Amino acid sequence: MSDHAQHSQPEGTAPRGSLAPHLAERLLFRGIYGLVLASAMVAALDVPGEEADPGQDALWVLLTALVSGAAHGYAHVIAQRAAGEASAAPGRLRAVLAEWPLPAAVLPTVLLLLGAVAEWWTEDTAVEVALLFNTVGLFGAGVLAARTAGLGRLSSFRAGAVDMLIGLLVIAADALIE
């Protein structure tokens, strides 16, 4: 019996999982975007042969996530306006603030870079651990998204593995570029 057939749900019922489907979708979308953004930023900022500045790199990762989140939220506002859905100013602000999972997802990377500022480890170590952490985070987010959608364990692990490939591609690109 297929994995999907085992978990069919009556119409009108929410899929299994710990979060309401719509909320889970928003949180996971923004969180996954933040993990990929953090990985790409930390890999790009770690330039071989240049003097390491983990404090500046941490600031750039955080600032980029904040600006990306605000831009994404505001893009929703513009799209709603273009579709003729008038939105009051509080609704616009809520759309921008709803992007909080994106900057929140970069915080582990920022903290790892700040650990290099405190000289607990080198920036190279911080970058490697951040890339690994974010890749594992992508796997976990993929599994959580699939489970929230009502998929079984095997399908959920396959979904997580596919999401994890994004992180592995960033790691491979970083290794090839260096």
Side-chain angles (χ1 to χ4, degrees):
M1 181 175 257
S2 81
D3 200 24
H4 294 287
Q6 293 174 344
H7 301 287
S8 64
Q9 310 238 339
E11 192 170 331
T13 61
R16 285 185 308 136
S18 59
L19 299 172
H22 187 64
L23 176 61
E25 177 186 343
R26 290 192 323 235
L27 292 174
L28 290 167
F29 172 80
R30 290 164 178 99
I32 288 170
Y33 188 84
L35 289 170
V36 172
L37 180 68
S39 293
M41 286 293 299
V42 78
L45 291 170
D46 183 35
V47 179
E50 283 189 11
E51 185 176 332
D53 190 350
Q56 184 177 3
D57 291 351
L59 182 61
W60 272 113
V61 170
L62 184 59
L63 186 63
T64 301
L66 289 170
V67 170
S68 295
H72 190 260
Y74 193 66
H76 281 293
V77 170
I78 298 298
Q80 288 173 343
R81 190 178 300 151
E85 299 173 21
S87 178
R92 292 181 199 143
L93 181 59
R94 261 186 257 124
V96 172
L97 293 176
E99 298 297 321
W100 70 265
L102 193 158
V106 307
L107 292 180
T109 298
V110 169
L111 292 174
L112 285 163
L113 289 168
L114 291 177
V117 171
E119 297 181 356
W120 295 340
W121 44 74
T122 66
E123 183 176 25
D124 286 341
T125 300
V127 168
E128 291 170 5
V129 172
L131 289 172
L132 178 63
F133 178 88
N134 293 339
T135 300
V136 171
L138 286 167
F139 174 79
V143 170
L144 180 60
R147 293 297 288 164
T148 300
L151 297 180
R153 285 190 184 110
L154 184 58
S155 292
S156 297
F157 281 110
R158 281 193 302 251
V162 170
D163 286 2
M164 187 174 73
L165 284 175
I166 298 169
L168 294 174
L169 288 172
V170 172
I171 291 170
D174 184 45
L176 289 173
I177 291 171
E178 286 183 11

